[in-house]
Structure formats: C-alpha cells, structure tokens
Amino acid sequence: MRRVFRCGSLIFLGVLAWAGQNPRVSSEPAWAGTESCGTCHADLVRGFQLNPHWAIEVGHTRWPSWKGKVCEACHGPGAKHAESADPAAIKHPGKLAVSEADGLCFTCHRGQPTQAGRLHGSHARNQVSCVACHSIHGARPHSPAPRRAADITAQCASCHAGVVAEFARPHAHRLREGAIRCVDCHNPHGEFLPKDQRLAGANEPGCLRCHGDKRGPFVFEHAPVRLEGCSACHEPHGSVNPRMLTRAEVRLLCLQCHATVATRQATSPAALGGVPPAFHDLRSARFRNCTLCHQKIHGSQVSADFLR
Amino acid sequence: MKRPIEISLVAVWVMALAFGQQPGEQQLSGSAEAGYRWTTNLAGSHYTYRSVVDLGEGPKLLDFDLAARPTGRSWWDRLLVSGGSWGGDPYNHARGELERFQCYRFLVDYRNLTYFNFLPSFANPQLAGGLESSQRTFDSDRRLVGIELELLPGKRVSPYLGYRRDAGRGYGITPFVENGNEYPFRTRLWDQTDEYRGGVQFNWPRWNLTLEQGGTAFKDDQSVYSTGPSLGNRTTPLLGNLLRLDALNQAYRVRGRSLFSRATLSAAPAEWLDVTARFLFSQPRSEVEHRFDEGGLLYWGATRFLTGRAGFTSAEAKMPRTSGTATVELHPWRWLRLRESWWTYQFHSATSGLWVETLIEASLRQELRIAASDRLVYRSNQQQLEVLVSPRPWWTIRGGHRYEWGDATVRGGTLGILGNPELGELKRHVALAGLHVRPNARWRTSLDYEVADTERSYFRTSLHDYHRLRIQTQWEVTSNLRVGGGFRLLDNQKRSRELVPDLAFDQRFQASFASVEWRPQGGERLSLIADYSRIAVRVDTTLIRTEQLAPGGYRHRENGHLATALVDCKPMGPEARGVPQLQLGGSLYVDSGSRPANYYQPVLRLILPVHRSVAGFAEWRYYGLGQAFYELESFRIHHVLAGLRLNL
C-alpha cells in the first residue's frame, strides 16, 4: 500500500511539474486568416479592432503564432467555412456546450488570478459559460465585460432579477444609485467563500472593505460577528427594517440568542449567548432598544458589555 | 456646479469632444448627463427621507462615461472613465482605467457614500416629550479611494501595487451610558484605514501563482462630548435623586496595524486535471487608549451617588488569522468531473488591558484599577466532494457531500470584565445535488439543492437542520422576447435536543421571481423590461417575552412583493430629431409582515433628441414610504430633473 502511495505521489508530482506547452497553431492549411473573415463579416471585424483581444491579431501577446488569425483563435480553423459559407463548418462559442465554450477561453485565461476561485464558484457549478457575461462581439466595443455600475447591475439582473429587486427595499446598499456594484462584494468568476463573496485585506470578510470601522480587532469581541459574519444580523442586499437588520425591532434580534433560559449542561453545550441580567426591565422603553446602551455591538475596545 | 471636480470632468469631456472624431473611426465614445434637480415640499419625516433617499436640489452631474483609444502609436492603448452622482448627492463615484496592453494597467476608484441615519425609534423613552434625538444617529461620510497599478499584465511575470483608503468622517449622537441612565450627546466620528499591498503574478500557460504581501494601518479617534447639561433618558428619580450629567468628554485613540500574506495557485498540469489553492495569513492588532471625564449627579454601586467620574483605559488586542483552501478537479472524460476541496479557517484573539477609574464624591476621590484579558478562539473546517456527470452535452447532474466541523471558545455573557469561557461546536453533514439543463442556446435551467443534518451549531439562530433549494430558468422565446424565473427556499430548524424541548428556532425563507424582456424589432421603437418578486419570511422562535419577562413564542413575518418595470418608447425610432421619447417605470415594494411598509418609486422621463449627440430630458420621480406601525417614519416627495444628455 505504501509503495502504491509513493508511486502515485511521484506520478502526481511529475504531472504537476510539467510546464505544459503553448497552444500552438497547427501547420495544416485549414486557416483562413482574419482578412478572409472580414470579407463577409466586415462589421464584426471592424468592431473587434476596439476589443482588447485585437492585440492577438497584431501579435502583441505571448502567443505570436496567432497573429493574423485572431478570429480563428476562438472559432477554430475557418478555411472550410470561408469556402462554403456553411455555419456548421465553424465553431460558434455561444452554441457550444458550456465546458467546450469555456475551454476556448481557458486556452489563454485559465491561469489568471481572477479564475483562482473558479472551481468553487456558483457560476461554474451551474454551468454558466464565460460568454454568458462576456460579450466579445457585443455592444461594448472597448471591453467585453461591463464596466459602468449600471451596466454591471443590468448584466447580473438578467439572471438574478429577484436578487437585484431586493435593493428596491427602503434600507439597502446603494446599488440602484450606482455607488456600489454587485462585483464589489461578489466575484462572478468564483471565490472560495459561499455565494462567491470577496475577501478584504486578504483574510477578512468583504464587508470590511468599506466598513473598516468594524474591522477591529476589538478588545471585547461580539462572538456572532466573528463566527457567523455580518449576515447573522443584517440583510446586505436590502431590508424593510432600519439598518438592514433581519428583524423589525433590534431587541427581537438580540433576544433570539440572549434568551437561553434553561441551564446549560456541562457536557452538552446547546448554544452560545447569555441571559440579560435581571435589571433589564423589558417592559420599559429604556430596555427595549438594546443598542441604545450596547452601542458598540460589533465589538468594543473598552467595555465587556459593549456599552462604549 | 459648485465643486471644481465636476467642472474639471465636464471640461475633460468637452475637450474630448473638441478633439474631433474622424469619420469612420471609433477612437472616442462616451456620454454625459447633467441637469438640475428640484424637490417639492417634503411631506412626512425629513429625517427618514434623509435616512432612506437623501437626494437634494441643485445642479447635478448625473452620469458620465468615456472610452478612448489612440488612433496611432501611443503610450496608452485604452482609457475608460465613468462615474456619476456629482453635485452634492450623497453617493458620488468615479472610476478610471488606463491601460497599455501588456505594459501597464492603472485603475483608480473613488466613492463618497453619505451615511445619514436618524430614525426615531419605537423604544425612545423621550418620544412622548417630543425629543427624537435620544438614540444613536449618524450624519457621516465614508470616502473610499483605491489605486492599483499592474505592470506587464499578461506577461510571464507581472508585479502589481495597490493602495486603498477607507475613511469615515462625520457627527452623530451617541448615548453615553452611565449606571442607571443614558445621556445622548454629540459624537464626532473619525476613522481611517489605509491598505497597502504589493505582489507578483507568475503566469505560465498551465499554472498561475500569485504572491502578495500587504499591510493595513487603522486609526479611530472618535469622541463623545456634551454641549450642555442633560437629564438623560431616565425620567424618574432614583432613590429620590434626579440623575444628570452636566459635562462629559470621552475620547478614543485607537491605532491598529496588520500585515497580511496571500499565496494563490491555480494550475492545469494536464488536460484532465485542475488544481487551485490559496493560503492567507494576517496579524491584525489594535492599541487602545480611552479617556472619559464626567460631572453631575451619578449613581454608583447600590446606594452611592457621585459628583464626577474619570477613567483611563489602555488595552491591546491581537487576532492572528490563518486560512487555507485547496481544490482538485479531475475530468478524465468529457462527461465526468470529480471535485474535492478542503477549507480551513482559524483565528484567535488575545486581548489585555488596564482600566483605571477615579470616583469623585464631593471632595473625596477613590481610584479603582482593574486588569483583565479576553480571549476568542475559532477553528472551522470543511471538506467537500462533488461529482458532476454530463451524459449529454446539454445536461449535467451533480451530487456531493460536505462535512463542516469546528469549535469556538468565547467569553460567556455576564456583567463585568471577568466572564467565564463558553465552548461552542459545529458538526454538520450536508448532502448536495444539482441539475443543469441547456438543450439549446435559448433555454437554460439550473437547480441547486442542499440538505443538512447538524449535530452542533454555535447559536440558536445558526443554520442547523436545513433544506436549501434554488431553481432558475431563462428562455429566449424569440430574438425579441426573453423570459426568466426562479425560486429560492431556505428551511432551517433547530431544536434543542439536550435541554428544554420547547426551545426552538424555525426559519423559512422563500422567494420567487419572474422577469420579462421584450424588444420588438430589436427595441428600436419599444422595449419593456419588467420583473416581479415575492418574498416570504417566517421565523418562529422562543425568547423572553417583553410583557411577562418569561419565555414565550415570537413570530417574525415578511410578506413582500417587489416589482420593477421600465418601458422605453421611441415612436419614430432612436435617430429621429425633435420627436420626444418616453420612458416610464419605477419600482414598488409592499410588505405586510411584522413591519408593514410600502415604498413606491415611479419615474417618468421625456427625452427630446435635438442633435446626433445631444438630447434634452425632463424627469419626474416620486419617493413614497409608508409604514403602518411607524407612521413617524413615513415620507413622500417629488423630484423633477431637467438637463441634457451628450453622446459621442
């Protein structure tokens, strides 16, 4: 068993150490050339000159063998299609199986840092192709991907209309106003965290990218903030409740955890969260708005009870 | 326009126009929209309007974008600039991107987000007396600036540098909490985080490695101070004495810093093998100084009354964090993918401090000193295996399992600094399933399902035994008509098995939506985009019932309907001059749950193209928020906007 494991490890390491080869252009005379493509598809070729991928056509990339054949870098050899004008004689990435279409993009883009979390991503898991969002021949000549906040929102809403609609609630992040974009919090290429959430500062929840005053570390931490994140209490897309809380009144949020009235068994922890002390007369308005006093609820530098 | 930056941006745009555009070449494209907004007399709560909408009158640069490429050889290949909401609006932003292919890429991002929050709360003890300001309020701005420079993008070795500042400034009201009373006083908010990072990307055809090192510097100098004597929120005497605070000064001085390291690897050593891995480590720490000085009639202990109190705190906190992820995907055949991933995240906080207080009772002074520490330890791990099978190229079925486990040690909830540690654990098995169907380029449906069996979770409100389902479909009926729909469900239940049987937390979230996009004849004269969503939330739990101060049931409900629509009508086509175009739409939200509310935002816009590049417009918007239980937090207002839109 050990020998099998050692051999398997060596083989695996050998494969990993293999540097691979550049995607080389076949020397077979099946290529038509971009000039030939432009004979029938003049508008597309002209528009494509504004696309960053045009750098391949003029040889400004590390794949010089594709110079003069940028169309066929994605669509495959086009000589037969040029002769017969048969659509079936050439690849159409929008009509290929998702893995096949993505494979065209990953010929060059697989190793990019933006793809690091791809295998974890919801889009990859649900077979959403690169061309579902990146329009190579689309209306945005300068960039295959939307850049303006409104365009990004519209792109995401084309599938996630129900999620984008949540920002129509009264208390919401300013997505509809363009001050924040879906991609500020979510990485559409995939991330290692659930729902493709981005990280901030390398190792912190993405919320702290803008809400740096909640980063800490605090002398006294509020455990759910660290253990379960901001969405333990807030609805980040939008809420009918003030401050995007998940409950209509803040006390109802706190009392869910701070109402463990039964005695906890020493060998069987049930849930974290203590009981409010007896002087909290919840019939009084003073004690029914918890954060009136426990203001530093995200963590306090001074007070163990988050009072300051 | 009052601010020079708007003038500068418009000047740049005008110069770009004056640049001229060669017929047949597309070196410059863009648009800008500017105008003047009027608001009608606001009905309802001004503070709620500012907390929710906060748009004011005056000249506005609503939106701008510019994309440019040089016609000949140049030191740059592409320029993209965009932004909007300038001219005093509460959330303005600008973004620029300058690139020379395979030489450099320079990004700048600026945002200013105003956070105004002054919502009179239901539980305001002084509301009956007309005082709305006894709660926490904010009138602050957050400014975010990010700069990134990437050298030799796309080359084998590509270094990069980044800088980001996140700064908060403003004022607010913070209740200063004393024994037996709380005193709302003015707060000055001031915090700033600077993040510096640099790294190198190694790009090879079959693998990419990114190494990054960075650091953050954090400052927080907020303070609370009195502007006069205050009787606080307590309206009744305590032991015959009316508590009051005559003067207060409280100040924080927090300095934090952190170093972080990140390494990310993605590799495809073979056509049938993909590997990704990431390692992150950070060491944030905070050093705290806190002072306060107060005078008045203060309550201390059981029967003591003080005339003043002063305190000084010196403390520090450290929280080293480590996380790592690795995923291996094998796809030996076109129809089969095996994906195994591991994830670990752990941190612990170690804090210590010294609290010194001076109690002042007439001419007597007594000093108290307390040294204390706190600790929070957290470890979390996940292991997941997924199998994706594609019997045919047009459909994929997926199944898998995930195991999550971890533990946490936290300070128990108790008065005072010295609390006892409590242990929480996480043990969960999750079964995964999914289906994706794409029979042709026009129709796509995907389904995701998870079901979990949890032995331990941290909090009563944590995910425990849950089902999660998501279905989404899109269908391009014709080239002009596209419909979509979806359904999401989360059903989570937690029963306390070991203790009192009736301690429970039942949570159900259900959302469905339908959308339509109709553009007859390519949308040249008419287009319609509309969607409708229905959200239903049900939470049943036991907590301390306010009236009886005893455990009882609580129900939270949300029954929300959301709809958005936009009709765009161009009777004579987009190129017709002098013929008005109409856009009508908006959004509405109606909820009949625990916090019934309705929020209407209709919009009507008339556009009058006068030139190939110029169109005038007039817009009417309405904002109307009504809340049945909180009528004090309702408002309605009309906005009228008139201006010009310029297109390149």
Side-chain angles (χ1 to χ4, degrees):
Chain A
M1 190 64 182
R2 284 186 186 174
R3 189 176 298 171
V4 169
F5 180 76
R6 274 203 292 267
C7 289
S9 303
L10 285 171
I11 292 170
F12 180 77
L13 287 172
V15 167
L16 211 62
W18 178 39
Q21 67 260 10
N22 284 327
R24 296 192 182 282
V25 177
S26 166
S27 59
E28 295 175 3
W31 309 98
T34 304
E35 198 174 325
S36 175
C37 303
T39 306
C40 298
H41 303 287
D43 287 344
L44 283 177
V45 171
R46 193 182 311 118
F48 195 71
Q49 293 176 9
L50 301 172
N51 192 291
H53 292 88
W54 188 254
I56 302 172
E57 172 70 12
V58 297
H60 287 168
T61 67
R62 61 175 193 266
W63 300 281
S65 51
W66 288 110
K67 183 177 179 180
K69 304 181 196 62
V70 64
C71 305
E72 292 156 293
C74 293
H75 290 281
K80 285 185 182 176
H81 172 73
E83 286 172 14
S84 63
D86 180 8
I90 196 161
K91 286 182 188 174
H92 189 311
K95 295 178 181 175
L96 294 175
V98 169
S99 57
E100 207 173 333
D102 290 354
L104 294 174
C105 306
F106 291 149
T107 304
C108 303
H109 294 288
R110 183 193 296 271
Q112 286 185 334
T114 50
Q115 305 294 330
R118 177 177 60 85
L119 297 180
H120 295 258
S122 307
H123 283 155
R125 184 175 295 124
N126 289 284
Q127 305 287 286
V128 177
S129 171
C130 305
V131 295
C133 300
H134 293 277
S135 173
I136 299 296
H137 293 294
R140 290 183 296 269
H142 294 276
S143 171
R147 286 286 198 266
R148 291 174 64 232
D151 293 339
I152 293 172
T153 302
Q155 177 76 63
C156 301
S158 65
C159 294
H160 301 283
V163 174
V164 173
E166 291 176 12
F167 289 87
R169 290 161 148 179
H171 305 279
H173 278 112
R174 305 297 187 185
L175 183 87
R176 288 146 55 94
E177 292 82 356
I180 191 170
R181 310 165 300 170
C182 305
V183 296
D184 288 327
C185 301
H186 301 278
N187 184 352
H189 300 115
E191 262 295 345
F192 297 94
L193 294 182
K195 301 186 181 178
D196 300 331
Q197 294 173 65
R198 290 188 187 273
L199 287 174
N203 215 358
E204 296 159 345
C207 314
L208 300 178
R209 198 170 170 209
C210 298
H211 298 280
D213 54 325
K214 309 295 187 294
R215 174 179 284 114
F218 297 101
V219 176
F220 301 103
E221 296 281 352
H222 191 200
V225 177
R226 298 298 182 190
L227 272 57
E228 302 218 320
C230 307
S231 56
C233 299
H234 297 278
E235 292 189 45
H237 291 155
S239 174
V240 69
N241 308 309
R243 305 188 186 178
M244 293 193 279
L245 295 178
T246 57
R247 298 290 178 266
E249 296 170 6
V250 66
R251 67 185 169 110
L252 300 169
L253 189 59
C254 310
L255 290 175
Q256 285 178 150
C257 285
H258 293 284
T260 311
V261 294
T263 304
R264 187 170 293 108
Q265 295 179 9
T267 57
S268 180
L272 301 172
V275 181
F279 67 81
H280 283 62
D281 183 356
L282 297 179
R283 294 166 298 182
S284 166
R286 281 181 59 219
F287 295 100
R288 289 169 66 185
N289 186 357
C290 308
T291 50
L292 178 73
C293 294
H294 300 278
Q295 306 146 24
K296 302 292 187 184
I297 202 61
H298 303 101
S300 173
Q301 304 285 15
V302 179
S303 166
D305 301 308
F306 313 121
L307 298 175
R308 297 198 188 110
Chain B
M1 299 175 187
K2 295 177 185 174
R3 296 191 186 184
I5 192 162
E6 291 99 336
I7 298 172
S8 306
L9 287 167
V10 172
V12 165
W13 195 93
V14 169
M15 281 192 297
L17 254 184
F19 219 136
Q21 186 174 346
Q22 299 295 329
E25 289 187 12
Q26 295 183 29
Q27 68 179 49
L28 201 63
S29 66
S31 64
E33 197 170 277
Y36 195 97
R37 182 189 296 125
W38 295 268
T39 61
T40 66
N41 289 337
L42 174 68
S45 170
H46 170 72
Y47 291 133
T48 306
Y49 168 73
R50 285 209 59 195
S51 302
V52 174
V53 181
D54 205 14
L55 295 174
E57 281 192 346
K60 311 290 175 188
L61 178 59
L62 300 163
D63 183 69
F64 63 90
D65 71 279
L66 178 71
R69 291 184 64 120
T71 51
R73 287 188 66 84
S74 176
W75 53 272
W76 59 283
D77 289 325
R78 183 172 71 164
L79 169 68
L80 301 172
V81 177
S82 64
S85 302
W86 290 86
D89 271 354
Y91 15 83
N92 41 59
H93 55 98
R95 182 180 167 89
E97 194 173 327
L98 183 65
E99 181 177 10
R100 178 170 168 77
F101 297 137
Q102 297 211 308
C103 183
Y104 69 88
R105 184 183 297 140
F106 181 67
L107 300 170
V108 177
D109 185 88
Y110 170 86
R111 288 175 234 209
N112 181 37
L113 305 169
T114 296
Y115 179 51
F116 183 91
N117 191 279
F118 190 160
L119 296 172
S121 169
F122 74 101
N124 177 0
Q126 300 204 50
L127 189 61
L131 184 63
E132 295 183 352
S133 60
S134 72
Q135 314 287 307
R136 271 208 105 189
T137 65
F138 300 90
D139 184 5
S140 59
D141 285 280
R142 289 214 78 83
R143 294 200 173 167
L144 311 163
V145 177
I147 298 172
E148 186 168 320
L149 174 65
E150 188 180 348
L151 299 174
L152 309 175
K155 294 285 193 184
R156 289 267 189 256
V157 180
S158 172
Y160 63 91
L161 296 169
Y163 167 76
R164 186 175 172 81
R165 167 169 284 190
D166 166 21
R169 306 279 190 272
Y171 292 91
I173 294 173
T174 297
F176 180 80
V177 181
E178 253 299 329
N179 292 319
N181 207 346
E182 310 83 46
Y183 303 90
F185 281 131
R186 195 168 170 79
T187 299
R188 175 181 167 270
L189 303 162
W190 196 102
D191 71 89
Q192 181 173 295
T193 305
D194 291 299
E195 179 187 287
Y196 309 85
R197 56 191 179 87
V200 181
Q201 297 172 18
F202 299 94
N203 304 299
W204 257 254
R206 290 200 172 271
W207 60 272
N208 168 276
L209 175 66
T210 303
L211 301 175
E212 180 176 296
Q213 185 70 32
T216 59
F218 173 69
K219 297 178 185 177
D220 188 346
D221 289 337
Q222 61 180 291
S223 58
V224 180
Y225 52 93
S226 63
T227 54
S230 171
L231 296 177
N233 284 337
R234 189 187 188 96
T235 56
T236 55
L238 178 65
L239 299 179
N241 292 288
L242 200 60
L243 300 177
R244 70 176 194 277
L245 203 58
D246 298 328
L248 168 72
N249 267 303
Q250 176 188 236
Y252 294 82
R253 187 178 184 278
V254 181
R255 297 291 180 265
R257 59 185 185 275
S258 174
L259 289 176
F260 60 84
S261 306
R262 166 162 51 187
T264 308
L265 169 73
S266 61
E271 291 297 327
W272 48 269
L273 177 65
D274 275 294
V275 177
T276 60
R278 186 169 73 179
F279 170 79
L280 303 107
F281 175 72
S282 61
Q283 293 189 84
R285 64 182 296 163
S286 300
E287 292 166 358
V288 180
E289 287 181 9
H290 172 260
R291 299 172 190 274
F292 73 93
D293 192 344
E294 54 179 339
L297 186 64
L298 316 170
Y299 179 62
W300 178 260
T303 57
R304 272 175 88 176
F305 288 88
L306 308 175
T307 55
R309 199 153 74 101
F312 173 76
T313 301
S314 175
E316 67 170 8
K318 301 176 190 177
M319 187 183 280
R321 295 195 192 102
T322 308
S323 70
T325 312
T327 303
V328 175
E329 180 179 284
L330 300 173
H331 33 94
W333 301 289
R334 184 196 57 76
W335 55 271
L336 178 66
R337 289 172 183 267
L338 300 167
R339 193 180 290 158
E340 175 78 21
S341 57
W342 303 268
W343 181 81
T344 183
Y345 178 47
Q346 46 192 290
F347 67 83
H348 74 270
S349 78
T351 71
S352 63
L354 175 67
W355 284 257
V356 179
E357 280 194 19
T358 304
L359 309 179
I360 304 168
E361 197 171 358
S363 58
L364 300 175
R365 301 174 86 91
Q366 177 187 359
E367 188 174 278
L368 304 175
R369 285 174 174 258
I370 300 175
S373 61
D374 198 10
R375 190 166 173 82
L376 170 66
V377 181
Y378 176 72
R379 286 183 288 250
S380 179
N381 305 280
Q382 282 184 21
Q383 180 263 330
Q384 179 170 300
L385 173 66
E386 272 188 300
V387 178
L388 294 90
V389 177
S390 302
R392 290 286 183 271
W394 55 272
W395 71 286
T396 302
I397 191 167
R398 172 166 49 87
H401 169 264
R402 181 171 69 236
Y403 178 53
E404 302 171 18
W405 73 101
D407 60 79
T409 304
V410 306
R411 177 176 52 84
T414 182
L415 283 182
I417 297 174
L418 306 174
N420 295 322
E422 292 182 7
L423 176 66
E425 288 182 272
L426 173 66
K427 285 183 186 176
R428 179 185 294 142
H429 290 271
V430 185
L432 312 168
L435 174 69
H436 175 80
V437 177
R438 186 170 177 250
N440 52 54
R442 290 176 175 269
W443 176 38
R444 179 173 70 220
T445 297
S446 64
L447 180 151
D448 252 324
Y449 180 68
E450 280 183 23
V451 57
D453 177 44
T454 304
E455 189 180 331
R456 294 266 191 275
S457 58
Y458 293 121
F459 303 101
R460 295 180 66 207
T461 56
S462 301
L463 287 178
H464 202 76
D465 297 332
Y466 71 88
H467 301 255
R468 180 180 272 145
L469 173 67
R470 190 187 62 83
I471 302 172
Q472 195 160 303
T473 188
Q474 269 193 309
W475 181 27
E476 193 176 321
V477 181
T478 65
S479 59
N480 299 325
L481 177 63
R482 191 168 146 182
V483 297
F487 177 78
R488 287 177 289 158
L489 172 69
L490 171 64
D491 194 331
N492 178 37
Q493 291 188 358
K494 177 160 183 172
R495 297 276 186 272
S496 183
R497 294 175 186 151
E498 302 87 8
L499 303 174
V500 178
D502 60 352
L503 276 184
F505 181 77
D506 288 344
Q507 173 189 27
R508 186 181 174 94
F509 169 87
Q510 187 171 310
S512 52
F513 81 91
S515 64
V516 61
E517 194 175 322
W518 182 46
R519 300 178 190 274
Q521 297 175 340
E524 278 202 355
R525 299 191 180 211
L526 180 68
S527 68
L528 165 68
I529 301 172
D531 61 80
Y532 166 77
S533 300
R534 169 96 166 85
I535 295 176
V537 177
R538 188 196 76 201
V539 176
D540 295 307
T541 186
T542 49
L543 44 71
I544 296 178
R545 288 191 64 84
T546 302
E547 296 78 13
Q548 293 85 26
L549 295 179
Y554 165 66
R555 293 180 178 181
H556 172 79
R557 298 287 184 266
E558 286 182 36
N559 293 308
H561 302 264
L562 294 131
T564 62
L566 182 67
V567 177
D568 194 348
C569 181
K570 304 179 182 70
M572 305 300 290
E575 306 296 331
R577 310 278 179 263
V579 179
Q581 302 169 0
L582 178 69
Q583 290 180 344
L584 174 63
S587 67
L588 70 87
Y589 171 68
V590 177
D591 192 296
S592 60
S594 299
R595 194 181 180 107
N598 52 72
Y599 188 37
Y600 303 113
Q601 301 175 72
V603 60
L604 171 67
R605 176 181 268 223
L606 281 172
I607 303 166
L608 185 67
V610 296
H611 182 264
R612 179 172 58 89
S613 301
V614 180
F617 70 88
E619 180 182 287
W620 165 81
R621 278 184 185 264
Y622 171 82
Y623 295 91
L625 174 64
Q627 301 190 81
F629 293 167
Y630 306 99
E631 288 186 8
L632 287 176
E633 297 181 31
S634 301
F635 68 86
R636 60 180 186 273
I637 191 170
H638 299 263
H639 289 179
V640 175
L641 191 65
L644 288 176
R645 181 172 180 85
L646 309 176
N647 288 307
L648 276 179

